[in-house]
Amino acid sequence: MRYLITGGAGFIGSQFVRQTLASGGAEVVVLDNLSAGSRANLADVASQISLVVGDIAERAVYEQLGTGFDAIVHFAAETHVDRSITGPSAFVVSNVLGTGELLEYARRTAVPRLLMVSTDEVYGTIDEGSWTEDFPLAPRSPYSASKASADLLSLSYVSTFGMDISITRCTNNYGPYQLPEKLIPHFVSELKAGRTVPVYGDGSNIRDWLHVDDHCRGIRLALDKGKAGRVYNIGGGTELANLELTRMLLAAMGLGEERITYVTDRPGHDKRYSLDWSRAQRELGYEPQVSFESGLASTVQWYLDHPEWVAEARERAHALAGQQAS
Ligand code: NAD
């Protein structure tokens, strides 16, 4: 099988590349503009893949790719909610226009199968209960609105052009190689440097956490067994208030609550995300395998053990924040 993996140099995409190569018999081409992603995320598999550095929103990049892919797995996106508030345009370009150009490439070159990697944030916020895939889309940030647009564009290519595309919508991921603009790696590196960590509002916002390995297993199942035009929620079942998670991180690092600084809440901050992922269980045989306790402990340890990676990734996150705020 010959795969095109967009955003394969990022946090989740690079793990999916590793899992795909480990399963054997796969030829992998990664298309990534190395904005949030980096070569360092793929260092251990660099000799086994081809990396095309380019922007999914630029039509010319597809000429470099040629034809003949059996499947596309689409991770490439601008992903940080805070950056989507300070600089929304980049999110519209990469996530909406970029997905549009990718879909056109797939249609032109008759790629038989596509998997679009999306997020639970497209459903908005929910006080009680959990979203099934039939809930209406009600995104509330430029990030989630751009991802919802990409989902709808993808579904339109199923009904209009008969393409074989499925969508996965996942909860918050954690694990190694995540850019330290996101909560867990950011907090670990701040705590390690002796600083305090910023908790939005009163820390009561709830997220459902899933280890990146489980997410990638869910994506693989959806790619192999999913039906055209069908959406699959991929959940983890560990719902935690941000303050609870912060306390767990402090405990894992042997630190106390004096290291928390409460900061003004994010505008439009979604209160709670919660997914009903029973469709993926029923139709794909998906079950998360990594317990939150062991996954969090190994993740914290990974960041502590990779100071060079963290230092380089912090610079990348800093540069992105500067570019998009200007
Ligand atoms: P990430 O920022 O680490 O990875 C995104 C990758 O896409 C990066 O390597 C970046 O360089 C690349 N990219 C961005 N814009 C591009 C463009 N215009 N052209 C080419 N490459 C581009 O983020 P991630 O957390 O790995 O997210 C991957 C996907 O998973 C995204 O589509 C995201 O919406 C989705 N997702 C993430 C989470 C999460 O908790 N991290 C949860 C659910 C869904």
Side-chain angles (χ1 to χ4, degrees), residues 6-13 31-38 54-57 74-79 83 93-95 117-120 143 147 169-174 177-179 181-182 215:
T6 72
F11 162 48
I12 307 171
L31 171 59
D32 199 299
N33 67 356
L34 302 183
S35 52
S38 81
D55 192 321
I56 54 164
H74 179 35
F75 292 91
E78 292 285 352
T79 62
R83 278 197 286 109
V93 172
S94 284
N95 302 1
V117 180
S118 187
T119 165
D120 59 358
Y143 164 63
K147 291 294 291 188
R169 294 190 182 133
C170 188
T171 54
N172 276 38
N173 281 215
Y174 69 98
Y177 296 103
Q178 189 170 29
L179 202 64
E181 58 183 3
K182 305 283 170 63
H215 184 190

mmCIF file of all heavy atoms in Angstrom, residues 6-13 31-38 54-57 74-79 83 93-95 117-120 143 147 169-174 177-179 181-182 215, ligand 1:
data_model
loop_
_atom_site.group_PDB
_atom_site.id
_atom_site.type_symbol
_atom_site.label_atom_id
_atom_site.label_comp_id
_atom_site.label_asym_id
_atom_site.label_seq_id
_atom_site.Cartn_x
_atom_site.Cartn_y
_atom_site.Cartn_z
ATOM 1 N N THR A 6 -0.612 13.557 5.070
ATOM 2 C CA THR A 6 -0.398 15.007 5.218
ATOM 3 C C THR A 6 -0.249 15.318 6.708
ATOM 4 O O THR A 6 -0.895 14.684 7.543
ATOM 5 C CB THR A 6 -1.563 15.827 4.642
ATOM 6 O OG1 THR A 6 -2.696 15.696 5.508
ATOM 7 C CG2 THR A 6 -1.939 15.391 3.230
ATOM 8 N N GLY A 7 0.596 16.280 7.036
ATOM 9 C CA GLY A 7 0.822 16.614 8.445
ATOM 10 C C GLY A 7 1.533 15.500 9.193
ATOM 11 O O GLY A 7 1.495 15.440 10.418
ATOM 12 N N GLY A 8 2.233 14.652 8.437
ATOM 13 C CA GLY A 8 2.902 13.488 9.038
ATOM 14 C C GLY A 8 4.140 13.829 9.857
ATOM 15 O O GLY A 8 4.697 12.950 10.508
ATOM 16 N N ALA A 9 4.552 15.103 9.826
ATOM 17 C CA ALA A 9 5.686 15.505 10.679
ATOM 18 C C ALA A 9 5.204 16.139 11.976
ATOM 19 O O ALA A 9 6.005 16.649 12.750
ATOM 20 C CB ALA A 9 6.599 16.476 9.918
ATOM 21 N N GLY A 10 3.900 16.114 12.209
ATOM 22 C CA GLY A 10 3.348 16.681 13.440
ATOM 23 C C GLY A 10 3.233 15.632 14.539
ATOM 24 O O GLY A 10 3.721 14.499 14.411
ATOM 25 N N PHE A 11 2.576 16.014 15.602
ATOM 26 C CA PHE A 11 2.441 15.177 16.801
ATOM 27 C C PHE A 11 1.722 13.844 16.476
ATOM 28 O O PHE A 11 2.314 12.757 16.604
ATOM 29 C CB PHE A 11 1.677 16.014 17.844
ATOM 30 C CG PHE A 11 1.053 15.263 18.967
ATOM 31 C CD1 PHE A 11 1.747 14.298 19.691
ATOM 32 C CD2 PHE A 11 -0.263 15.560 19.352
ATOM 33 C CE1 PHE A 11 1.147 13.634 20.758
ATOM 34 C CE2 PHE A 11 -0.856 14.902 20.419
ATOM 35 C CZ PHE A 11 -0.162 13.926 21.114
ATOM 36 N N ILE A 12 0.491 13.913 16.049
ATOM 37 C CA ILE A 12 -0.275 12.675 15.831
ATOM 38 C C ILE A 12 0.152 12.007 14.522
ATOM 39 O O ILE A 12 0.312 10.785 14.449
ATOM 40 C CB ILE A 12 -1.790 12.960 15.819
ATOM 41 C CG1 ILE A 12 -2.206 13.715 17.091
ATOM 42 C CG2 ILE A 12 -2.590 11.658 15.694
ATOM 43 C CD1 ILE A 12 -3.643 14.236 17.071
ATOM 44 N N GLY A 13 0.366 12.838 13.472
ATOM 45 C CA GLY A 13 0.734 12.288 12.172
ATOM 46 C C GLY A 13 2.019 11.468 12.238
ATOM 47 O O GLY A 13 2.125 10.402 11.630
ATOM 48 N N LEU A 31 3.557 14.688 3.424
ATOM 49 C CA LEU A 31 3.505 16.066 2.925
ATOM 50 C C LEU A 31 3.266 16.983 4.123
ATOM 51 O O LEU A 31 2.235 16.869 4.790
ATOM 52 C CB LEU A 31 2.369 16.213 1.902
ATOM 53 C CG LEU A 31 2.038 17.648 1.451
ATOM 54 C CD1 LEU A 31 3.236 18.333 0.814
ATOM 55 C CD2 LEU A 31 0.849 17.649 0.484
ATOM 56 N N ASP A 32 4.220 17.876 4.396
ATOM 57 C CA ASP A 32 4.121 18.728 5.585
ATOM 58 C C ASP A 32 4.904 20.015 5.313
ATOM 59 O O ASP A 32 5.979 19.962 4.717
ATOM 60 C CB ASP A 32 4.720 17.992 6.802
ATOM 61 C CG ASP A 32 4.261 18.570 8.126
ATOM 62 O OD1 ASP A 32 4.525 19.758 8.389
ATOM 63 O OD2 ASP A 32 3.653 17.835 8.909
ATOM 64 N N ASN A 33 4.367 21.134 5.758
ATOM 65 C CA ASN A 33 5.103 22.392 5.542
ATOM 66 C C ASN A 33 6.060 22.707 6.693
ATOM 67 O O ASN A 33 6.666 23.777 6.726
ATOM 68 C CB ASN A 33 4.150 23.570 5.289
ATOM 69 C CG ASN A 33 3.323 23.932 6.509
ATOM 70 O OD1 ASN A 33 3.402 23.258 7.535
ATOM 71 N ND2 ASN A 33 2.508 24.962 6.396
ATOM 72 N N LEU A 34 6.186 21.789 7.648
ATOM 73 C CA LEU A 34 7.099 21.938 8.790
ATOM 74 C C LEU A 34 6.874 23.261 9.517
ATOM 75 O O LEU A 34 7.822 23.923 9.922
ATOM 76 C CB LEU A 34 8.567 21.793 8.345
ATOM 77 C CG LEU A 34 8.922 20.471 7.655
ATOM 78 C CD1 LEU A 34 10.410 20.425 7.346
ATOM 79 C CD2 LEU A 34 8.529 19.258 8.496
ATOM 80 N N SER A 35 5.605 23.632 9.683
ATOM 81 C CA SER A 35 5.293 24.822 10.488
ATOM 82 C C SER A 35 5.249 24.409 11.960
ATOM 83 O O SER A 35 6.142 24.755 12.732
ATOM 84 C CB SER A 35 3.976 25.463 10.027
ATOM 85 O OG SER A 35 2.927 24.508 9.972
ATOM 86 N N ALA A 36 4.244 23.626 12.337
ATOM 87 C CA ALA A 36 4.220 23.093 13.714
ATOM 88 C C ALA A 36 5.014 21.791 13.802
ATOM 89 O O ALA A 36 5.510 21.422 14.862
ATOM 90 C CB ALA A 36 2.784 22.840 14.156
ATOM 91 N N GLY A 37 5.133 21.097 12.690
ATOM 92 C CA GLY A 37 5.843 19.816 12.669
ATOM 93 C C GLY A 37 7.327 20.003 12.429
ATOM 94 O O GLY A 37 7.794 21.113 12.142
ATOM 95 N N SER A 38 8.092 18.904 12.540
ATOM 96 C CA SER A 38 9.538 19.020 12.291
ATOM 97 C C SER A 38 10.119 17.675 11.857
ATOM 98 O O SER A 38 9.527 16.621 12.122
ATOM 99 C CB SER A 38 10.275 19.490 13.543
ATOM 100 O OG SER A 38 10.495 18.410 14.414
ATOM 101 N N GLY A 54 6.024 21.053 1.859
ATOM 102 C CA GLY A 54 5.179 21.943 1.068
ATOM 103 C C GLY A 54 3.850 22.169 1.750
ATOM 104 O O GLY A 54 3.502 21.490 2.716
ATOM 105 N N ASP A 55 3.122 23.127 1.180
ATOM 106 C CA ASP A 55 1.875 23.588 1.797
ATOM 107 C C ASP A 55 0.685 22.962 1.062
ATOM 108 O O ASP A 55 0.567 23.101 -0.155
ATOM 109 C CB ASP A 55 1.845 25.122 1.666
ATOM 110 C CG ASP A 55 0.753 25.746 2.508
ATOM 111 O OD1 ASP A 55 -0.358 25.174 2.585
ATOM 112 O OD2 ASP A 55 1.013 26.804 3.096
ATOM 113 N N ILE A 56 -0.212 22.344 1.813
ATOM 114 C CA ILE A 56 -1.379 21.687 1.180
ATOM 115 C C ILE A 56 -2.302 22.693 0.486
ATOM 116 O O ILE A 56 -3.122 22.290 -0.341
ATOM 117 C CB ILE A 56 -2.225 20.866 2.194
ATOM 118 C CG1 ILE A 56 -2.652 21.727 3.400
ATOM 119 C CG2 ILE A 56 -1.492 19.612 2.646
ATOM 120 C CD1 ILE A 56 -3.771 21.107 4.222
ATOM 121 N N ALA A 57 -2.164 23.974 0.842
ATOM 122 C CA ALA A 57 -3.053 24.964 0.221
ATOM 123 C C ALA A 57 -2.500 25.479 -1.109
ATOM 124 O O ALA A 57 -3.168 26.237 -1.810
ATOM 125 C CB ALA A 57 -3.277 26.133 1.180
ATOM 126 N N HIS A 74 -5.312 12.434 6.176
ATOM 127 C CA HIS A 74 -5.146 13.892 6.197
ATOM 128 C C HIS A 74 -5.128 14.437 7.627
ATOM 129 O O HIS A 74 -6.171 14.608 8.257
ATOM 130 C CB HIS A 74 -6.300 14.518 5.407
ATOM 131 C CG HIS A 74 -6.286 16.005 5.346
ATOM 132 N ND1 HIS A 74 -5.131 16.757 5.283
ATOM 133 C CD2 HIS A 74 -7.304 16.920 5.334
ATOM 134 C CE1 HIS A 74 -5.442 18.040 5.240
ATOM 135 N NE2 HIS A 74 -6.749 18.166 5.279
ATOM 136 N N PHE A 75 -3.895 14.700 8.114
ATOM 137 C CA PHE A 75 -3.714 15.292 9.442
ATOM 138 C C PHE A 75 -3.416 16.794 9.344
ATOM 139 O O PHE A 75 -3.614 17.509 10.325
ATOM 140 C CB PHE A 75 -2.504 14.666 10.155
ATOM 141 C CG PHE A 75 -2.652 13.219 10.547
ATOM 142 C CD1 PHE A 75 -2.244 12.199 9.687
ATOM 143 C CD2 PHE A 75 -3.181 12.869 11.779
ATOM 144 C CE1 PHE A 75 -2.355 10.862 10.057
ATOM 145 C CE2 PHE A 75 -3.298 11.541 12.161
ATOM 146 C CZ PHE A 75 -2.887 10.538 11.296
ATOM 147 N N ALA A 76 -2.854 17.236 8.216
ATOM 148 C CA ALA A 76 -2.292 18.597 8.160
ATOM 149 C C ALA A 76 -3.340 19.646 8.493
ATOM 150 O O ALA A 76 -4.396 19.707 7.862
ATOM 151 C CB ALA A 76 -1.707 18.872 6.774
ATOM 152 N N ALA A 77 -3.035 20.454 9.484
ATOM 153 C CA ALA A 77 -3.951 21.527 9.889
ATOM 154 C C ALA A 77 -3.219 22.447 10.854
ATOM 155 O O ALA A 77 -2.276 22.036 11.526
ATOM 156 C CB ALA A 77 -5.182 20.938 10.578
ATOM 157 N N GLU A 78 -3.686 23.662 10.898
ATOM 158 C CA GLU A 78 -3.337 24.536 12.021
ATOM 159 C C GLU A 78 -4.209 24.069 13.176
ATOM 160 O O GLU A 78 -5.419 23.861 12.985
ATOM 161 C CB GLU A 78 -3.647 25.995 11.673
ATOM 162 C CG GLU A 78 -2.758 26.579 10.599
ATOM 163 C CD GLU A 78 -1.360 26.889 11.122
ATOM 164 O OE1 GLU A 78 -1.128 26.794 12.346
ATOM 165 O OE2 GLU A 78 -0.503 27.241 10.307
ATOM 166 N N THR A 79 -3.618 23.897 14.383
ATOM 167 C CA THR A 79 -4.356 23.166 15.414
ATOM 168 C C THR A 79 -4.490 23.860 16.760
ATOM 169 O O THR A 79 -5.147 23.305 17.647
ATOM 170 C CB THR A 79 -3.690 21.787 15.673
ATOM 171 O OG1 THR A 79 -2.357 22.017 16.161
ATOM 172 C CG2 THR A 79 -3.653 20.936 14.443
ATOM 173 N N ARG A 83 -3.998 30.231 19.055
ATOM 174 C CA ARG A 83 -3.461 30.908 17.858
ATOM 175 C C ARG A 83 -4.574 31.215 16.860
ATOM 176 O O ARG A 83 -4.485 32.158 16.077
ATOM 177 C CB ARG A 83 -2.365 30.059 17.207
ATOM 178 C CG ARG A 83 -1.021 30.223 17.874
ATOM 179 C CD ARG A 83 0.123 29.732 17.016
ATOM 180 N NE ARG A 83 0.231 28.303 16.937
ATOM 181 C CZ ARG A 83 -0.037 27.564 15.866
ATOM 182 N NH1 ARG A 83 -0.409 28.143 14.728
ATOM 183 N NH2 ARG A 83 0.102 26.263 15.895
ATOM 184 N N VAL A 93 -6.838 29.355 5.709
ATOM 185 C CA VAL A 93 -6.034 28.967 4.543
ATOM 186 C C VAL A 93 -5.656 27.484 4.632
ATOM 187 O O VAL A 93 -5.914 26.700 3.714
ATOM 188 C CB VAL A 93 -4.773 29.855 4.420
ATOM 189 C CG1 VAL A 93 -3.848 29.322 3.328
ATOM 190 C CG2 VAL A 93 -5.173 31.298 4.130
ATOM 191 N N SER A 94 -5.048 27.061 5.759
ATOM 192 C CA SER A 94 -4.580 25.665 5.830
ATOM 193 C C SER A 94 -5.740 24.676 5.933
ATOM 194 O O SER A 94 -5.773 23.662 5.238
ATOM 195 C CB SER A 94 -3.673 25.467 7.052
ATOM 196 O OG SER A 94 -2.417 26.022 6.774
ATOM 197 N N ASN A 95 -6.685 24.971 6.803
ATOM 198 C CA ASN A 95 -7.682 23.951 7.138
ATOM 199 C C ASN A 95 -8.824 23.887 6.134
ATOM 200 O O ASN A 95 -9.360 22.797 5.873
ATOM 201 C CB ASN A 95 -8.227 24.197 8.547
ATOM 202 C CG ASN A 95 -7.107 24.185 9.591
ATOM 203 O OD1 ASN A 95 -5.942 24.006 9.255
ATOM 204 N ND2 ASN A 95 -7.452 24.388 10.845
ATOM 205 N N VAL A 117 -8.876 13.444 9.328
ATOM 206 C CA VAL A 117 -8.731 13.418 10.788
ATOM 207 C C VAL A 117 -9.304 14.722 11.355
ATOM 208 O O VAL A 117 -8.775 15.799 11.108
ATOM 209 C CB VAL A 117 -7.249 13.274 11.186
ATOM 210 C CG1 VAL A 117 -7.102 13.257 12.697
ATOM 211 C CG2 VAL A 117 -6.659 12.001 10.575
ATOM 212 N N SER A 118 -10.408 14.580 12.094
ATOM 213 C CA SER A 118 -11.040 15.778 12.628
ATOM 214 C C SER A 118 -11.121 15.705 14.155
ATOM 215 O O SER A 118 -10.472 14.863 14.779
ATOM 216 C CB SER A 118 -12.420 15.962 11.981
ATOM 217 O OG SER A 118 -12.976 17.193 12.357
ATOM 218 N N THR A 119 -11.903 16.597 14.721
ATOM 219 C CA THR A 119 -11.864 16.822 16.169
ATOM 220 C C THR A 119 -13.270 16.914 16.759
ATOM 221 O O THR A 119 -14.203 17.341 16.074
ATOM 222 C CB THR A 119 -11.101 18.137 16.448
ATOM 223 O OG1 THR A 119 -11.346 18.536 17.791
ATOM 224 C CG2 THR A 119 -11.560 19.278 15.552
ATOM 225 N N ASP A 120 -13.373 16.563 18.046
ATOM 226 C CA ASP A 120 -14.663 16.710 18.737
ATOM 227 C C ASP A 120 -15.056 18.178 18.887
ATOM 228 O O ASP A 120 -16.225 18.483 19.166
ATOM 229 C CB ASP A 120 -14.614 16.027 20.125
ATOM 230 C CG ASP A 120 -13.542 16.572 21.061
ATOM 231 O OD1 ASP A 120 -12.768 17.464 20.669
ATOM 232 O OD2 ASP A 120 -13.481 16.087 22.208
ATOM 233 N N TYR A 143 -10.566 27.860 15.027
ATOM 234 C CA TYR A 143 -9.999 26.526 14.772
ATOM 235 C C TYR A 143 -11.105 25.512 14.491
ATOM 236 O O TYR A 143 -11.104 24.853 13.449
ATOM 237 C CB TYR A 143 -9.159 26.065 15.973
ATOM 238 C CG TYR A 143 -8.864 24.567 15.964
ATOM 239 C CD1 TYR A 143 -8.113 23.990 14.929
ATOM 240 C CD2 TYR A 143 -9.351 23.724 16.972
ATOM 241 C CE1 TYR A 143 -7.857 22.617 14.907
ATOM 242 C CE2 TYR A 143 -9.088 22.355 16.953
ATOM 243 C CZ TYR A 143 -8.348 21.810 15.919
ATOM 244 O OH TYR A 143 -8.098 20.458 15.887
ATOM 245 N N LYS A 147 -12.164 23.422 11.007
ATOM 246 C CA LYS A 147 -12.180 21.951 10.927
ATOM 247 C C LYS A 147 -13.579 21.468 10.502
ATOM 248 O O LYS A 147 -13.701 20.525 9.716
ATOM 249 C CB LYS A 147 -11.797 21.323 12.271
ATOM 250 C CG LYS A 147 -10.350 21.511 12.678
ATOM 251 C CD LYS A 147 -9.366 20.803 11.764
ATOM 252 C CE LYS A 147 -9.430 19.294 11.884
ATOM 253 N NZ LYS A 147 -8.328 18.641 11.108
ATOM 254 N N ARG A 169 -13.443 11.850 14.412
ATOM 255 C CA ARG A 169 -13.441 13.035 15.295
ATOM 256 C C ARG A 169 -12.989 12.576 16.672
ATOM 257 O O ARG A 169 -13.642 11.726 17.286
ATOM 258 C CB ARG A 169 -14.842 13.653 15.385
ATOM 259 C CG ARG A 169 -15.298 14.228 14.064
ATOM 260 C CD ARG A 169 -16.557 15.053 14.184
ATOM 261 N NE ARG A 169 -16.951 15.532 12.872
ATOM 262 C CZ ARG A 169 -18.190 15.476 12.387
ATOM 263 N NH1 ARG A 169 -19.178 14.986 13.129
ATOM 264 N NH2 ARG A 169 -18.460 15.922 11.190
ATOM 265 N N CYS A 170 -11.884 13.130 17.116
ATOM 266 C CA CYS A 170 -11.248 12.620 18.326
ATOM 267 C C CYS A 170 -11.228 13.668 19.438
ATOM 268 O O CYS A 170 -11.299 14.862 19.179
ATOM 269 C CB CYS A 170 -9.819 12.193 17.978
ATOM 270 S SG CYS A 170 -9.011 11.342 19.330
ATOM 271 N N THR A 171 -11.107 13.167 20.639
ATOM 272 C CA THR A 171 -10.977 14.029 21.817
ATOM 273 C C THR A 171 -9.524 14.524 21.942
ATOM 274 O O THR A 171 -8.691 14.228 21.085
ATOM 275 C CB THR A 171 -11.321 13.225 23.076
ATOM 276 O OG1 THR A 171 -10.516 12.060 23.085
ATOM 277 C CG2 THR A 171 -12.765 12.816 23.098
ATOM 278 N N ASN A 172 -9.228 15.194 23.053
ATOM 279 C CA ASN A 172 -7.868 15.712 23.284
ATOM 280 C C ASN A 172 -6.850 14.585 23.361
ATOM 281 O O ASN A 172 -7.039 13.648 24.126
ATOM 282 C CB ASN A 172 -7.819 16.454 24.620
ATOM 283 C CG ASN A 172 -8.282 17.881 24.493
ATOM 284 O OD1 ASN A 172 -9.218 18.160 23.756
ATOM 285 N ND2 ASN A 172 -7.632 18.775 25.199
ATOM 286 N N ASN A 173 -5.780 14.732 22.594
ATOM 287 C CA ASN A 173 -4.709 13.726 22.597
ATOM 288 C C ASN A 173 -3.570 14.158 23.509
ATOM 289 O O ASN A 173 -3.318 15.343 23.676
ATOM 290 C CB ASN A 173 -4.100 13.607 21.205
ATOM 291 C CG ASN A 173 -4.932 12.785 20.252
ATOM 292 O OD1 ASN A 173 -4.385 12.078 19.421
ATOM 293 N ND2 ASN A 173 -6.239 12.862 20.327
ATOM 294 N N TYR A 174 -2.857 13.165 24.049
ATOM 295 C CA TYR A 174 -1.605 13.458 24.748
ATOM 296 C C TYR A 174 -0.625 12.356 24.387
ATOM 297 O O TYR A 174 -1.015 11.279 23.921
ATOM 298 C CB TYR A 174 -1.821 13.547 26.269
ATOM 299 C CG TYR A 174 -2.146 12.215 26.904
ATOM 300 C CD1 TYR A 174 -1.152 11.462 27.530
ATOM 301 C CD2 TYR A 174 -3.427 11.687 26.842
ATOM 302 C CE1 TYR A 174 -1.433 10.230 28.094
ATOM 303 C CE2 TYR A 174 -3.716 10.443 27.399
ATOM 304 C CZ TYR A 174 -2.714 9.722 28.017
ATOM 305 O OH TYR A 174 -2.997 8.490 28.552
ATOM 306 N N TYR A 177 6.067 13.984 21.563
ATOM 307 C CA TYR A 177 6.191 14.776 20.333
ATOM 308 C C TYR A 177 5.095 15.829 20.145
ATOM 309 O O TYR A 177 4.881 16.302 19.043
ATOM 310 C CB TYR A 177 6.210 13.879 19.072
ATOM 311 C CG TYR A 177 7.384 12.947 18.955
ATOM 312 C CD1 TYR A 177 7.244 11.582 19.233
ATOM 313 C CD2 TYR A 177 8.632 13.409 18.560
ATOM 314 C CE1 TYR A 177 8.314 10.702 19.121
ATOM 315 C CE2 TYR A 177 9.706 12.536 18.444
ATOM 316 C CZ TYR A 177 9.533 11.193 18.725
ATOM 317 O OH TYR A 177 10.592 10.338 18.604
ATOM 318 N N GLN A 178 4.369 16.182 21.217
ATOM 319 C CA GLN A 178 3.351 17.229 21.056
ATOM 320 C C GLN A 178 3.998 18.594 21.269
ATOM 321 O O GLN A 178 4.759 18.790 22.228
ATOM 322 C CB GLN A 178 2.213 17.017 22.063
ATOM 323 C CG GLN A 178 1.028 17.941 21.807
ATOM 324 C CD GLN A 178 -0.193 17.582 22.629
ATOM 325 O OE1 GLN A 178 -0.083 17.046 23.728
ATOM 326 N NE2 GLN A 178 -1.368 17.872 22.110
ATOM 327 N N LEU A 179 3.696 19.544 20.400
ATOM 328 C CA LEU A 179 4.317 20.875 20.482
ATOM 329 C C LEU A 179 3.961 21.521 21.829
ATOM 330 O O LEU A 179 2.797 21.512 22.230
ATOM 331 C CB LEU A 179 3.806 21.742 19.330
ATOM 332 C CG LEU A 179 4.686 22.929 18.935
ATOM 333 C CD1 LEU A 179 6.035 22.464 18.413
ATOM 334 C CD2 LEU A 179 3.989 23.771 17.890
ATOM 335 N N GLU A 181 3.016 24.111 22.904
ATOM 336 C CA GLU A 181 2.012 25.163 23.013
ATOM 337 C C GLU A 181 0.748 24.537 23.620
ATOM 338 O O GLU A 181 -0.155 25.247 24.039
ATOM 339 C CB GLU A 181 1.699 25.786 21.636
ATOM 340 C CG GLU A 181 1.205 24.801 20.619
ATOM 341 C CD GLU A 181 0.968 25.384 19.229
ATOM 342 O OE1 GLU A 181 1.240 26.567 18.984
ATOM 343 O OE2 GLU A 181 0.485 24.624 18.363
ATOM 344 N N LYS A 182 0.700 23.189 23.670
ATOM 345 C CA LYS A 182 -0.473 22.474 24.197
ATOM 346 C C LYS A 182 -0.240 22.146 25.672
ATOM 347 O O LYS A 182 0.905 22.026 26.135
ATOM 348 C CB LYS A 182 -0.721 21.193 23.399
ATOM 349 C CG LYS A 182 -0.858 21.412 21.896
ATOM 350 C CD LYS A 182 -2.216 21.965 21.509
ATOM 351 C CE LYS A 182 -2.291 22.411 20.046
ATOM 352 N NZ LYS A 182 -2.104 21.393 19.068
ATOM 353 N N HIS A 215 -5.471 6.902 19.591
ATOM 354 C CA HIS A 215 -6.070 7.657 18.491
ATOM 355 C C HIS A 215 -5.619 7.063 17.150
ATOM 356 O O HIS A 215 -6.432 6.834 16.253
ATOM 357 C CB HIS A 215 -5.673 9.137 18.592
ATOM 358 C CG HIS A 215 -6.316 10.010 17.565
ATOM 359 N ND1 HIS A 215 -5.944 11.306 17.351
ATOM 360 C CD2 HIS A 215 -7.305 9.780 16.663
ATOM 361 C CE1 HIS A 215 -6.673 11.834 16.381
ATOM 362 N NE2 HIS A 215 -7.501 10.920 15.940
HETATM 363 P P1 NAD B 1 0.290 19.301 14.909
HETATM 364 O O1 NAD B 1 0.217 20.783 14.831
HETATM 365 O O2 NAD B 1 1.346 18.673 15.730
HETATM 366 O O3 NAD B 1 0.366 18.674 13.447
HETATM 367 C C1 NAD B 1 -0.163 19.292 12.304
HETATM 368 C C2 NAD B 1 0.854 19.119 11.191
HETATM 369 O O4 NAD B 1 0.340 19.731 10.011
HETATM 370 C C3 NAD B 1 2.192 19.808 11.514
HETATM 371 O O5 NAD B 1 3.255 18.917 11.225
HETATM 372 C C4 NAD B 1 2.230 21.022 10.594
HETATM 373 O O6 NAD B 1 3.557 21.365 10.231
HETATM 374 C C5 NAD B 1 1.387 20.520 9.432
HETATM 375 N N1 NAD B 1 0.714 21.604 8.682
HETATM 376 C C6 NAD B 1 -0.009 22.636 9.177
HETATM 377 N N2 NAD B 1 -0.473 23.405 8.174
HETATM 378 C C7 NAD B 1 -0.013 22.838 7.025
HETATM 379 C C8 NAD B 1 -0.139 23.182 5.656
HETATM 380 N N3 NAD B 1 -0.824 24.274 5.263
HETATM 381 N N4 NAD B 1 0.450 22.396 4.724
HETATM 382 C C9 NAD B 1 1.177 21.302 5.113
HETATM 383 N N5 NAD B 1 1.333 20.926 6.391
HETATM 384 C C10 NAD B 1 0.736 21.693 7.335
HETATM 385 O O7 NAD B 1 -1.167 18.862 15.396
HETATM 386 P P2 NAD B 1 -1.745 17.445 15.823
HETATM 387 O O8 NAD B 1 -2.186 17.572 17.209
HETATM 388 O O9 NAD B 1 -0.805 16.355 15.424
HETATM 389 O O10 NAD B 1 -3.040 17.379 14.904
HETATM 390 C C11 NAD B 1 -3.113 16.592 13.712
HETATM 391 C C12 NAD B 1 -4.579 16.505 13.284
HETATM 392 O O11 NAD B 1 -5.362 15.908 14.313
HETATM 393 C C13 NAD B 1 -5.221 17.875 13.004
HETATM 394 O O12 NAD B 1 -6.000 17.776 11.855
HETATM 395 C C14 NAD B 1 -6.081 18.121 14.251
HETATM 396 O O13 NAD B 1 -7.191 18.943 13.937
HETATM 397 C C15 NAD B 1 -6.485 16.704 14.610
HETATM 398 N N6 NAD B 1 -6.818 16.486 16.029
HETATM 399 C C16 NAD B 1 -5.911 16.791 17.027
HETATM 400 C C17 NAD B 1 -6.258 16.541 18.356
HETATM 401 C C18 NAD B 1 -5.295 16.841 19.482
HETATM 402 O O14 NAD B 1 -5.667 16.719 20.647
HETATM 403 N N7 NAD B 1 -4.042 17.174 19.228
HETATM 404 C C19 NAD B 1 -7.507 16.004 18.675
HETATM 405 C C20 NAD B 1 -8.384 15.709 17.635
HETATM 406 C C21 NAD B 1 -8.033 15.946 16.326
#
